[in-house]
Amino acid sequence: MPVLHQMQMSGNCYKIRLAARQLDVELTLESYRLFDGATRKPDFLAKNANGRVPLLEFEDGRTLAESGAILWYLAEGTRLVPADRWQRAEVLQWMFFEQYSHEPYIAVARFWLSFAPKEQLEKKRHLVPEWHAKGNAALGVMQGHLARHDWLAGGRYSIADIALYGYTHSAADGGFDLSAYPAVGAWLTRVAAEPGHIPLETTW
Ligand SMILES: N[C@@H](CCC(=O)N[C@@H](CS)C(=O)NCC(=O)O)C(=O)O
């Protein structure tokens, strides 16, 4: 059975647990603590030179990093990835948007404002307005799309929705006010109602 190297409160790792559960893929969890630096030690760096989770490790020794790549690998050929060429590109469009325009602000604000030790947060405090401005811009893009569509891509629930749900549903932890984005709120409710949905806190 593949091993998911992960951190329990990480939205990036939650995306993988959620997709795996909805696809009935069994994974063994190897969990790391947020602040002990284990993913930067030689043992882990030998598996992922980038020192980050999630990381999927297979029995034959292969390893796959990056939440988007792992989601794509698990979901390819299932109902969570469309077969149509255009719709597949739409899924990727939203997944790349998540990694470049959304996660770097919303997930980072969440980490520093909700999990980092206060004295370390003080060194980052000057960045909070930029995280909020850019994160709100990303939420605005989602609001514009979701006011006209039920799902992000392909007209149905897909790994694009899972990728964006990870840190959108927990954005309040980063100081974001989701009430300003009612279509995003309605979409969060739809995602959470999908069969097999599990909350972020679920251990496995
Ligand atoms: N782009 C990566 C980001 C992965 C990432 O930032 N992982 C964090 C947890 S959410 C991590 O491993 N932090 C530990 C560290 O950087 O040492 C993905 O989507 O998987």
Side-chain angles (χ1 to χ4, degrees), residues 34-134:
L34 260 184
F35 295 108
D36 65 6
T39 64
R40 301 296 169 142
K41 292 187 177 140
D43 280 2
F44 189 88
L45 290 173
K47 299 179 196 290
N48 179 11
N50 200 28
R52 289 183 170 86
V53 290
L55 181 76
L56 196 57
E57 181 176 16
F58 296 86
E59 281 166 16
D60 64 6
R62 287 178 303 162
T63 54
L64 188 62
E66 295 295 329
S67 59
I70 299 170
L71 282 177
W72 192 270
Y73 178 84
L74 292 179
E76 176 71 311
T78 77
R79 68 186 186 286
L80 295 184
V81 173
D84 173 78
R85 180 181 180 184
W86 179 258
Q87 293 178 349
R88 288 162 72 80
E90 284 184 332
V91 169
L92 288 174
Q93 171 187 279
W94 282 107
M95 292 172 76
F96 289 131
F97 165 84
E98 191 265 346
Q99 288 282 292
Y100 190 77
S101 301
H102 182 287
E103 194 261 13
Y105 309 111
I106 297 179
V108 168
R110 173 176 180 262
F111 172 79
W112 287 103
L113 294 173
S114 278
F115 296 102
K118 287 278 169 289
E119 63 282 4
Q120 289 188 35
L121 167 62
E122 289 322 311
K123 293 183 210 146
K124 299 278 179 177
R125 184 71 75 181
H126 63 289
L127 295 172
V128 173
E130 183 188 351
W131 296 336
H132 281 168
K134 292 184 171 168

Side-chain angles (χ1 to χ4, degrees), residues 22 79 157 191 193-197:
Q22 292 185 315
R79 68 186 186 286
Y157 180 64
V191 172
E194 279 293 303
H197 184 84

